[in-house]
């Protein structure tokens, strides 16, 4: 169940990212670590967080472009590197909204 992700995202599953400093895929091709991966849509770096799915092996996207993974939200998983990533994400969203 989701506890750290932004509440406006329809994705309910989240998982802490593998600690590796390189890409790590599970046996079915789903990313467990997104080091050196870029969003399928905007090409931003996905080191801190990403949206992946076991139904879309090898695909990953940023939180903003999660639909680029190409599967419904209930089949997606939010990967996060550390619990503080959400605080940074919320601060950045708040700062950009006030500009």
């Amino acid at each position: 169940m989701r506890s750290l992700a932004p509440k406006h995202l329809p994705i309910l599953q989240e998982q802490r990212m593998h600690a590796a400093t390189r890409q790590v895929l599970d046996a079915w091709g789903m990313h467990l670590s997104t080091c050196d991966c870029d969003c399928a849509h905007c090409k931003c770096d996905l080191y801190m967080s990403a949206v992946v799915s076991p139904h879309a092996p090898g695909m990953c996207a940023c939180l903003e472009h999660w639909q680029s993974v190409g599967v419904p939200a209930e089949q997606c998983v939010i990967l996060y590197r550390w619990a503080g990533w959400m605080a940074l994400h919320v601060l950045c969203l708040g700062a950009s909204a006030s500009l």
Side-chain angles (χ1 to χ4, degrees):
M1 193 63 180
R2 190 174 78 171
S3 62
L4 298 173
K7 301 306 179 202
H8 67 276
L9 286 177
I11 302 166
L12 298 177
Q13 300 178 66
E14 64 182 27
Q15 174 181 323
R16 190 170 181 121
M17 204 178 292
H18 191 282
T21 56
R22 59 179 171 67
Q23 286 185 48
V24 176
L25 304 175
D26 68 9
W28 298 276
M30 185 178 90
H31 285 279
L32 299 177
S33 175
T34 53
C35 281
D36 299 325
C37 291
D38 297 327
C39 173
H41 181 83
C42 67
K43 307 302 181 209
C44 75
D45 183 69
L46 299 175
Y47 180 77
M48 295 304 290
S49 62
V51 176
V52 299
S53 174
H55 302 280
M59 290 293 295
C60 50
C62 66
L63 297 178
E64 184 177 351
H65 300 117
W66 69 268
Q67 296 96 334
S68 296
V69 174
V71 298
E74 42 295 333
Q75 295 177 356
C76 290
V77 178
I78 297 173
L79 295 180
Y80 63 92
R81 189 154 301 279
W82 57 286
W85 75 271
M86 180 44 58
L88 292 174
H89 183 72
V90 169
L91 285 173
C92 291
L93 286 176
S96 64
S98 65
L99 294 177

